[in-house]
Amino acid sequence: LARDLYESDAHFLQELVQNADDNSYHGDVVPSLRLVLCSGADMADYFYTVNNEVGFAEADVRALCDISRSPKSRLDGSTTGYKGIGWKSVFRVCDSPHVLSGAWRFRFRSNGLGLLTPEWIDDAEYQRLPRDVTGAHQTGNTVFFLPLPDPQHAAGIKTEMRAMESELVQLLFLRRLRELHLHC
């Protein structure tokens, strides 16, 4: 389903911004989201996000694992997303997205039947992740890490990030998010 929802492989960036806007934040922080693309001839391409939201609760983890199980509600108008499928658009560019939030450290793998299976990331695997990714997590942020198996995905993400930079009007409609940083 996630692979078929969107025309653009890089549309997931808009979904990640929307999700960050829907997140909860402590009162003493400026709600922010950082989108980072790392690519080059001497490294495997990857993309990651850094969000200073309050961190995942069990309900948030369960929502990522299922469709239509989002803890968000459209009834009170406080969130944009509520169907539980937006985040899953990351599967357009990555077969094994990693989620790091507080004590939660897991990744997804598709089992070939259209189901997503979360797998815990043990300490040894965590240490093999890029240092910028683990460093962002260790400072208390929620991090989504997406290894990019196809170089074309990195090119598409870069194009989408450039488009986001030129269309800043979308930021006017955000409710909570106050800072959006794009690095590619």
Side-chain angles (χ1 to χ4, degrees), residues 36-48 93-96 98 130 132-133 145-158:
V36 183
L37 175 63
C38 298
S39 64
D42 61 336
M43 66 190 315
D45 296 341
Y46 62 95
F47 173 83
Y48 69 100
V93 299
C94 177
D95 295 327
S96 183
H98 295 54
D132 48 345
V133 171
F145 169 67
L146 310 179
L148 303 173
D150 184 343
Q152 292 301 317
H153 292 313
I157 292 169
K158 188 173 191 174

Side-chain angles (χ1 to χ4, degrees), residues 1-65:
L1 176 65
R3 292 186 192 280
D4 298 331
L5 283 175
Y6 304 103
E7 191 172 307
S8 164
D9 284 346
H11 178 78
F12 77 93
L13 297 176
Q14 300 292 338
E15 294 292 341
L16 295 176
V17 170
Q18 175 184 303
N19 286 351
D21 192 49
D22 286 346
N23 287 341
S24 297
Y25 296 87
H26 293 292
D28 60 343
V29 302
V30 176
S32 67
L33 176 66
R34 186 168 21 128
L35 306 178
V36 183
L37 175 63
C38 298
S39 64
D42 61 336
M43 66 190 315
D45 296 341
Y46 62 95
F47 173 83
Y48 69 100
T49 69
V50 179
N51 184 220
N52 63 347
E53 55 113 14
V54 297
F56 274 34
E58 183 178 339
D60 301 313
V61 174
R62 290 185 182 280
L64 287 183
C65 296

Side-chain angles (χ1 to χ4, degrees), residues 147-167:
L148 303 173
D150 184 343
Q152 292 301 317
H153 292 313
I157 292 169
K158 188 173 191 174
T159 299
E160 184 73 16
M161 289 174 77
R162 296 289 186 231
M164 290 171 74
E165 286 177 331
S166 66
E167 298 171 9

Side-chain angles (χ1 to χ4, degrees), residues 32-133:
S32 67
L33 176 66
R34 186 168 21 128
L35 306 178
V36 183
L37 175 63
C38 298
S39 64
D42 61 336
M43 66 190 315
D45 296 341
Y46 62 95
F47 173 83
Y48 69 100
T49 69
V50 179
N51 184 220
N52 63 347
E53 55 113 14
V54 297
F56 274 34
E58 183 178 339
D60 301 313
V61 174
R62 290 185 182 280
L64 287 183
C65 296
D66 201 354
I67 294 176
S68 298
R69 198 168 184 171
S70 175
K72 301 176 190 177
S73 170
R74 67 177 168 166
L75 299 178
D76 66 3
S78 67
T79 62
T80 304
Y82 61 90
K83 296 176 185 169
I85 56 177
W87 183 86
K88 292 162 185 79
S89 62
V90 301
F91 286 95
R92 294 281 300 208
V93 299
C94 177
D95 295 327
S96 183
H98 295 54
V99 177
L100 311 171
S101 183
W104 299 99
R105 299 186 326 194
F106 60 96
R107 67 177 173 198
F108 287 100
R109 298 230 186 196
S110 175
N111 68 5
L113 299 174
L115 301 174
L116 304 176
T117 305
E119 297 176 352
W120 289 110
I121 297 172
D122 64 23
D123 291 341
E125 183 178 352
Y126 184 78
Q127 295 304 318
R128 288 190 299 271
L129 295 175
R131 287 181 191 243
D132 48 345
V133 171

